[in-house]
Amino acid sequence: MAALAYAAPHFWWGAGIGATFPGDFASAPHGTWEAAIGYWVMGAVAVAGAVVALALVRPWGRRLPHRTLCALSLTASVGMTLWGFTYFALQYLLTAGRVISAPAFAAKDAHPQAAWGLFWYSLFVLWGLMLGVAAWDRLRNKRAH
């Protein structure tokens, strides 16, 4: 579910709808390769991630290579969880005055819409942890059989 919650806004941002964008949508890239990758490709990757997550828990997923699926899922779990926690660590350091934004990012970081980053990066933590739990459960259950 977190994967689809992450994918949906990427598709609507790609379509030009700025709702829930974490920053100034008007100054974000549009009509460039950067925008295509940031919106459409990342949305598609998230949908693929949802399929991988479902493969861990649905009967049709048993037809896929067990070790490959679990290794991919556990690697993604660690990466997404660390990515989310890193965002929160950086936000803490910015708030505590231990670091300051580079001039190129200061306006984006100060924009009221930047608060959406807290939501989106929470999804990374949730998605990463739940994917890890599902992969670990699949590994554990496979060994039991």
Side-chain angles (χ1 to χ4, degrees):
M1 189 58 139
L4 298 178
Y6 180 80
H10 282 77
F11 293 138
W12 73 60
W13 296 335
I17 301 166
T20 73
F21 188 79
D24 183 13
F25 188 71
S27 67
H30 301 285
T32 64
W33 281 105
E34 181 183 0
I37 292 169
Y39 305 140
W40 298 105
V41 172
M42 291 308 297
V45 167
V47 169
V51 171
V52 168
L54 283 173
L56 289 168
V57 298
R58 303 302 298 170
W60 56 265
R62 291 189 197 115
R63 289 182 256 157
L64 300 173
H66 172 74
R67 289 184 186 200
T68 303
L69 180 61
C70 288
L72 175 66
S73 298
L74 288 170
T75 301
S77 169
V78 169
M80 290 186 298
T81 304
L82 288 175
W83 182 255
F85 279 130
T86 300
Y87 174 82
F88 288 105
L90 179 59
Q91 291 307 308
Y92 168 76
L93 293 172
L94 284 166
T95 302
R98 302 295 293 172
V99 298
I100 57 171
S101 292
F105 297 105
K108 180 182 175 192
D109 291 340
H111 195 280
Q113 285 289 104
W116 277 104
L118 299 171
F119 173 74
W120 296 123
Y121 284 91
S122 293
L123 283 182
F124 274 103
V125 174
L126 176 66
W127 184 6
L129 292 174
M130 293 300 101
L131 184 60
V133 167
W136 185 258
D137 187 59
R138 170 120 181 215
L139 275 173
R140 192 187 61 196
N141 287 335
K142 183 70 170 184
R143 288 183 188 148
H145 294 292

